[in-house]
Amino acid sequence: LLLVASVGAVSFGLVVLTNTGWAPPKGASLVGFYGPFTRAWEFAVGALLSLALIKLTITSRRLALILGLLGTGMLAASLWLINGTTPFPGVWTLLPVVGTLLLLIAGTHESNIVTRAFSGCPMVKIGDWSYSIYLWHWPFIVFAALLWPDNLAAVFAAALLSFGPALASYHWVEQ
């Protein structure tokens, strides 16, 4: 617990530093969107939750509902509040990370409207496919943006087209 919490704290500290104007030495690509040092805290949050779930149980249906609604609200808010001008990774990353954390905690209770909504067949299917979609969507979007700059329709179409190979790789590689 201490090791994971320490790594998470140092990583989030780097996020705060980079958001206050501190810049790494020229050429250092280890902090930023793809940098492991400023993204490790997100994994640490999940690891700490996993370790805490050994002892943590939500016994109150009302508390589970409140946490689930709050987590859903935070995820929805992140769709509108985080955009292309938001420093990422940054302190705004707390919104989707903590929102997801709250949803996972709410899901430890046997039943409430939020857990039922997210555990329905369509949502479970999307969850099953999500990693493949995650892997395929970005290359499609980047290539479309390079081939057709300033064409939002092409980028959107590329994102939709990425579902084909994503579902194929889910079926023939992941499964």
Side-chain angles (χ1 to χ4, degrees):
L1 272 171
L2 185 60
L3 177 63
V4 174
S6 298
V7 167
V10 168
S11 173
F12 190 73
L14 281 173
V15 167
V16 172
L17 273 176
T18 59
N19 281 216
T20 57
W22 174 81
K26 188 173 181 172
S29 61
L30 295 176
V31 295
F33 186 82
Y34 296 110
F37 297 130
T38 50
R39 299 299 295 270
W41 74 272
E42 298 170 49
F43 290 104
V45 168
L48 289 171
L49 174 63
S50 177
L51 293 169
L53 285 178
I54 295 167
K55 301 239 184 223
L56 175 74
T57 4
I58 301 294
T59 55
S60 165
R61 179 182 223 156
R62 186 176 188 193
L63 177 60
L65 176 62
I66 291 168
L67 293 176
L69 290 172
L70 186 59
T72 302
M74 291 175 79
L75 286 176
S78 70
L79 292 172
W80 283 277
L81 296 173
I82 297 174
N83 58 40
T85 62
T86 308
F88 198 91
V91 292
W92 281 100
T93 313
L94 282 167
L95 202 56
V97 170
V98 173
T100 301
L101 175 79
L102 293 176
L103 275 175
L104 291 170
I105 293 170
T108 64
H109 189 272
E110 49 192 63
S111 183
N112 65 65
I113 192 168
V114 177
T115 15
R116 284 193 304 272
F118 284 113
S119 61
C121 189
M123 296 303 281
V124 170
K125 201 47 104 171
I126 290 170
D128 288 344
W129 297 338
S130 66
Y131 186 66
S132 292
I133 294 168
Y134 164 76
L135 290 176
W136 283 95
H137 84 286
W138 196 242
F140 272 66
I141 290 171
V142 168
F143 285 124
L146 287 171
L147 293 172
W148 301 284
D150 301 322
N151 187 338
L152 195 56
V155 171
F156 185 73
L160 289 177
L161 286 173
S162 72
F163 277 68
L167 296 179
S169 71
Y170 169 78
H171 182 72
W172 287 300
V173 176
E174 285 186 55
Q175 296 303 299

